Amino acid sequence: MSKDTIYVKPREGLRIRQENGRPLPAEGRHVPLNSFWRRRLRDKDVVAAQAPRKAKAKAKSTEIKEA
């Protein structure tokens, strides 16, 4: 993600609404680093977190199967 976004999670026990009115998922998400989210960070309603890494897809086996 760009420097203009940040990954945040709601502080434990809180349910935080995003700017669009929907709740912020408990697992967190990337959000724009604007005044709305800076205020949430300052008020400790959300915490900056490390974004989860995507699992790598398994490579196809190159084994030769005998018939």
Side-chain angles (χ1 to χ4, degrees), residues 8-53:
V8 296
K9 291 183 176 184
R11 196 177 78 205
E12 194 168 331
L14 293 182
R15 186 168 177 167
I16 303 300
R17 298 230 176 250
Q18 301 175 69
E19 291 174 290
N20 61 10
R22 295 184 183 137
L24 181 66
E27 63 273 4
R29 70 174 291 222
H30 284 280
V31 296
L33 190 53
N34 57 23
S35 60
F36 179 87
W37 290 107
R38 288 179 196 269
R39 192 175 321 116
R40 300 293 158 274
L41 285 163
R42 184 191 65 212
D43 295 345
K44 298 184 179 161
D45 293 333
V46 297
V47 293
Q50 187 73 25
R53 293 185 174 250

